[in-house]
C-alpha cells in the first residue's frame, strides 16, 4: 500500500515518528512522508526529525505561516498537486494518513477526499466542544470526511458514535504520542538539560503557553506571568517560549518581567529530548498544550492545564491534569497543593502502552488484504 503520511506542525512529528517506524517492519506498507512546512523554524521542526530519527521528508511543500484561511488553502492546493502528480506518474497513493488537529491535518484530508483518496485520521474523535478553537474546527472537519478513525482514548469513540460514524471505521488504538515518549524517555535522561539549568530534579516547574486564549490579551497573559514570577521564589520555573507567545510578551511589555525574575528560566522552544528531560523530572507542569496534558499523564507528573475545556478528558479523569482556565487564583491554589504534596495522583490510561503505532499498522495491513484483487 502506498501511504502518504502528512505532517505540518510540531506536535505532528511526535505522532508520525512511531507510525513510520512501525510501518518499516511490514513489507506491504510503503509510507511516503510529506511535510507541509506549516512549522519551519529549526526549533519547531528540524530538531524533531533529527532526534526522533525521522528520515527527511520525501516531499517538502514549504507552505509557512499565514492566516488560517491562507495557510489551509495553500496546503490544499499543494497537496492536491502532489496527489494528482502521483496519479499521473502511475504511482497513485492508496491512502493518506493525517495526524492531530492542526491546519495541515484538515487541509490535506479535504484535498485527498475530493480526489477520492481515502484518509485515515490518527487521534480521531477528540472534542473540546469549543468551536472558538481552530483545532476543534480541524478535528470536526477531518473526522467528518475520513473513512478510518484511529482513536487515542475512550471519549473519542463515544464522540464519533454520537456523531453517527459507523462502528466498523472506529478503532481504539491508543496514543501514538505516548509510543514516542516511551521510546525516548531513557535517551532523554542523558540530555543533561536539568543539570545545565542548575535545577534540582523534582523541585521545579515547567510552563508552556501558546493558545490565543492565554497569550493574545495583555490582561490574561500578564496575570499568568505574575503567578509564574510569584511562585518561582519557592519553586523555580522553566519557560520555553513559543514564537507567537514571545511576540505577545514583547508587545505587551511583559518579557522583561519574566527575564529579570531570578528563578524563571526563559528559553527558546527546545528539542524533544531536552524537553522530555525537563518534563519527566518536573514537580509540576503548567500548560495549554493538549500533547503535554497527555505526556504529563503518562509521566505521572501533575499538570495544571490553562484551558476551560479539554478534548482529552481522560487526562483529567484518570490522569494528572486539572483544568484551570485562566483563573490565576485557582492556579495559585493548585500550585500550593503540588508544593505541599496534596495534589491528586494519576494513572496511565489503557492502551497508552507504546504499541499504538503497531496496532495502526495491523489495521492498515488487514485493509490491504481485504482490498487485494
Ligand atoms: C500550531 C497548531 C496548534 C499546535 C501548535 C504547536 C493550528 C491551527 N495550530 O499553532 O494546534 O498546538 O502549532 O506549536 O494548526 N511561527 C514561527 N516559526 C514557525 C512556525 C510559526 O515563528 O516555524 C510563528 C509565526 O509567527 C506564525 C505563528 O508562529 O504566524 C503561529 O504559527 P501557526 O502554525 O499558524 O500556529 P501555532 O500557534 O504554532
Amino acid at each position: 500500500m502506498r501511504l502518504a503520511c502528512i505532517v505540518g506542525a510540531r506536535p505532528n512529528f511526535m505522532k508520525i515518528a512511531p507510525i513510520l517506524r512501525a510501518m518499516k517492519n511490514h513489507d506491504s506498507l510503503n509510507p511516503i512522508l510529506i511535510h507541509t512546512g506549516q512549522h519551519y523554524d529549526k526549533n519547531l521542526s528540524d530538531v524533531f526529525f533529527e532526534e526522533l530519527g525521522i528520515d527527511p521528508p520525501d516531499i517538502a511543500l514549504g507552505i509557512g505561516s499565514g492566516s488560517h484561511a491562507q495557510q489551509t488553502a495553500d496546503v490544499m492546493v499543494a497537496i492536491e498537486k502532489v496527489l494528482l502528480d502521483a496519479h499521473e506518474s502511475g504511482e497513485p497513493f492508496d491512502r493518506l494518513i493525517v495526524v492531530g488537529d492542526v491546519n495541515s491535518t484538515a487541509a490535506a484530508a479535504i484535498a485527498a477526499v475530493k480526489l477520492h483518496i481515502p484518509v485515515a485520521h490518527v487521534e480521531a474523535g477528540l472534542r473540546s466542544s469549543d468551536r472558538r478553537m481552530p483545532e476543534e474546527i480541524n478535528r470536526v472537519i477531518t473526522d467528518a470526511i475520513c473513512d478510518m478513525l484511529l482513536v487515542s482514548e475512550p471519549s473519542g469513540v463515544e464522540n464519533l458514535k454520537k456523531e453517527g460514524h459507523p462502528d466498523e471505521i472506529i478503532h481504539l488504538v491508543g496514543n501514538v504520542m505516548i509510543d514516542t515518549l516511551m521510546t525516548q524517555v531513557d535517551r532523554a535522561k542523558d540530555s543533561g538539560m536539568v543539570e545545565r539549568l542548575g535545577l534540582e530534579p523534582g523541585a521545579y516547574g515547567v510552563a508552556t503557553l501558546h493558545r490565543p486564549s492565554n497569550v493574545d490579551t495583555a490582561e490574561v497573559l500578564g496575570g499568568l506571568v505574575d503567578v509564574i514570577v510569584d511562585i518561582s521564589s519557592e519553586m523555580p520555573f522553566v519557560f520555553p517560549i513559543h514564537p507567537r507567545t514571545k511576540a505577545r510578551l514583547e508587545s505587551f511589555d511583559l518579557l522583561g518581567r519574566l527575564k529579570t525574575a531570578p528563578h524563571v528560566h526563559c528559553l527558546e522552544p527546545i528539542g524533544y529530548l531536552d524537553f522530555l528531560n525537563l518534563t519527566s523530572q518536573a514537580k509540576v507542569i503548567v500548560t495549554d498544550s493538549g500533547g503535554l496534558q497527555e505526556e504529563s499523564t503518562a509521566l505521572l507528573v501533575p499538570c495544571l492545564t490553562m484551558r476551560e475545556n479539554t478534548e482529552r478528558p481522560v487526562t483529567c479523569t484518570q490522569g494528572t491534569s486539572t483544568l484551570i482556565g485562566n483563573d490565576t487564583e485557582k492556579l495559585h491554589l493548585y500550585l500550593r497543593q503540588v508544593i505541599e504534596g496534596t495534589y491528586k495522583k494519576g494513572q496511565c490510561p489503557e492502551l497508552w502502552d507504546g504499541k499504538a503505532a503497531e496496532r495502526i499498522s495491523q489495521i492498515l495491513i488487514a485493509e490491504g488484504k481485504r482490498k487485494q484483487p
Side-chain angles (χ1 to χ4, degrees), residues 9-11 38-41 44 65-66 68 71 101-104 134-135 138 210-211 242-244:
R10 181 169 60 179
Q38 177 174 341
H39 282 178
Y40 43 87
D41 280 2
L44 289 185
S65 301
H68 283 279
Q71 194 174 53
D101 55 15
V102 302
N103 287 340
S104 301
E135 293 83 359
N138 292 335
H210 73 283
R211 287 197 192 278
H242 186 281
R244 66 175 291 139

Side-chain angles (χ1 to χ4, degrees), residues 122-347:
V122 177
E123 214 181 72
L126 299 183
R127 296 288 180 271
S128 66
S129 301
D130 177 358
R131 295 221 171 165
R132 290 168 310 168
M133 284 176 76
E135 293 83 359
E136 181 72 355
I137 307 298
N138 292 335
R139 293 181 200 115
V140 169
I141 290 174
T142 306
D143 288 340
I145 58 177
C146 285
D147 72 324
M148 185 185 280
L149 299 169
L150 302 158
V151 185
S152 57
E153 65 164 83
S155 73
V157 173
E158 286 164 34
N159 295 331
L160 292 168
K161 285 188 177 175
K162 255 188 261 161
E163 288 172 17
H165 294 281
D167 288 359
E168 331 57 280
I169 72 167
I170 305 172
H171 308 271
L172 183 62
V173 292
N175 193 322
V176 284
M177 205 164 205
I178 304 306
D179 286 10
T180 294
L181 184 142
M182 290 187 172
T183 315
Q184 302 292 344
V185 76
D186 282 337
R187 260 181 89 206
K189 285 188 185 132
D190 299 331
S191 107
M193 190 67 186
V194 171
E195 291 76 19
R196 281 203 297 286
L197 292 172
L199 295 166
E200 199 187 310
Y204 60 89
V206 175
T208 80
L209 298 168
H210 73 283
R211 287 197 192 278
S213 57
N214 286 322
V215 307
D216 281 2
T217 61
E219 201 194 344
V220 174
L221 187 56
L224 297 177
V225 165
D226 283 346
V227 179
I228 291 172
V229 171
D230 271 4
I231 209 84
S232 68
S233 59
E234 280 180 80
M235 173 170 59
F237 253 87
V238 187
F239 189 4
I241 306 180
H242 186 281
R244 66 175 291 139
T245 309
K246 188 170 179 210
R248 299 294 186 274
L249 286 166
E250 275 168 352
S251 66
F252 303 147
D253 223 2
L254 292 165
L255 196 57
R257 179 153 164 63
L258 271 177
K259 285 197 164 165
T260 52
H263 303 291
V264 178
H265 301 263
C266 294
L267 308 176
E268 294 290 312
I270 55 178
Y272 185 80
L273 293 172
D274 282 345
F275 194 61
L276 184 53
N277 182 273
L278 280 176
T279 52
S280 59
Q281 301 179 79
K283 190 168 186 72
V284 66
I285 294 169
V286 175
T287 189
D288 57 13
S289 148
L292 200 41
Q293 247 177 285
E294 296 183 333
E295 289 167 339
S296 54
T297 278
L299 293 166
L300 307 178
V301 172
C303 179
L304 305 180
T305 301
M306 304 312 294
R307 293 180 48 189
E308 304 285 345
N309 47 54
T310 179
E311 62 288 339
R312 295 162 160 90
V314 79
T315 61
C316 297
T317 54
Q318 280 186 39
T320 54
S321 173
T322 301
L323 295 181
I324 307 289
N326 47 32
D327 181 340
T328 49
E329 258 178 50
K330 196 169 173 189
L331 179 58
H332 258 301
L333 189 82
Y334 278 95
L335 282 168
R336 187 95 342 263
Q337 283 190 11
V338 170
I339 288 171
E340 286 164 6
T342 55
Y343 186 78
K344 70 172 177 179
K345 307 275 177 263
Q347 65 186 54

Side-chain angles (χ1 to χ4, degrees), residues 21-35:
R21 194 172 325 105
M23 284 181 179
K24 271 195 186 153
N25 296 327
H26 301 289
D27 292 342
S28 63
L29 302 178
N30 176 17
I32 306 296
L33 182 62
I34 303 177
H35 187 349

Side-chain angles (χ1 to χ4, degrees), residues 2-6 30-34 83 93 95-98:
R2 253 173 83 76
L3 299 160
C5 300
I6 312 296
N30 176 17
I32 306 296
L33 182 62
I34 303 177
L83 299 177
F93 289 104
R95 184 174 267 296
L96 228 72
I97 314 270
V98 297

